[in-house]
Amino acid sequence: GGVRFNPHPAAIVEPIHLETAISRGSRSRLGARTALAAEAQVIVSGDRDLLDLVRFREIRIITAAEALAGLDR
């Protein structure tokens, strides 16, 4: 399906600690850990390390262009 934005107010979450490395960059790891803590369904990123993963656990990782294209559906 297409990408849907969450209509609920934003929440502050603490990144979850991970025992295993998921990418080379610390910013990539922080983004993925935070998305996991927030129970996100999608990560929209331009970070090549994250995009190369395609998925992190159950979270899809897509580009901004893919997210915008999904809004048209």
Side-chain angles (χ1 to χ4, degrees), residues 67-73:
L68 290 172
L71 292 175
D72 295 334
R73 296 181 193 167

Side-chain angles (χ1 to χ4, degrees), residues 24-38:
R24 296 181 294 266
S26 61
R27 290 183 65 183
S28 302
R29 286 191 298 273
L30 178 60
R33 292 174 36 221
T34 304
L36 189 60

Side-chain angles (χ1 to χ4, degrees), residues 1-69:
V3 174
R4 292 179 296 147
F5 287 100
N6 186 346
H8 303 290
I12 296 174
V13 297
E14 289 291 322
I16 290 175
H17 175 74
L18 299 173
E19 295 296 326
T20 58
I22 59 167
S23 71
R24 296 181 294 266
S26 61
R27 290 183 65 183
S28 302
R29 286 191 298 273
L30 178 60
R33 292 174 36 221
T34 304
L36 189 60
E39 298 178 2
Q41 294 178 348
V42 175
I43 296 172
V44 178
S45 179
D47 183 289
R48 184 71 351 210
D49 286 338
L50 281 179
L51 291 167
D52 286 346
L53 292 174
V54 180
R55 278 191 177 279
F56 171 65
R57 298 196 183 173
E58 299 297 318
I59 305 170
R60 288 180 24 217
I61 304 170
I62 62 175
T63 64
E66 290 170 315
L68 290 172

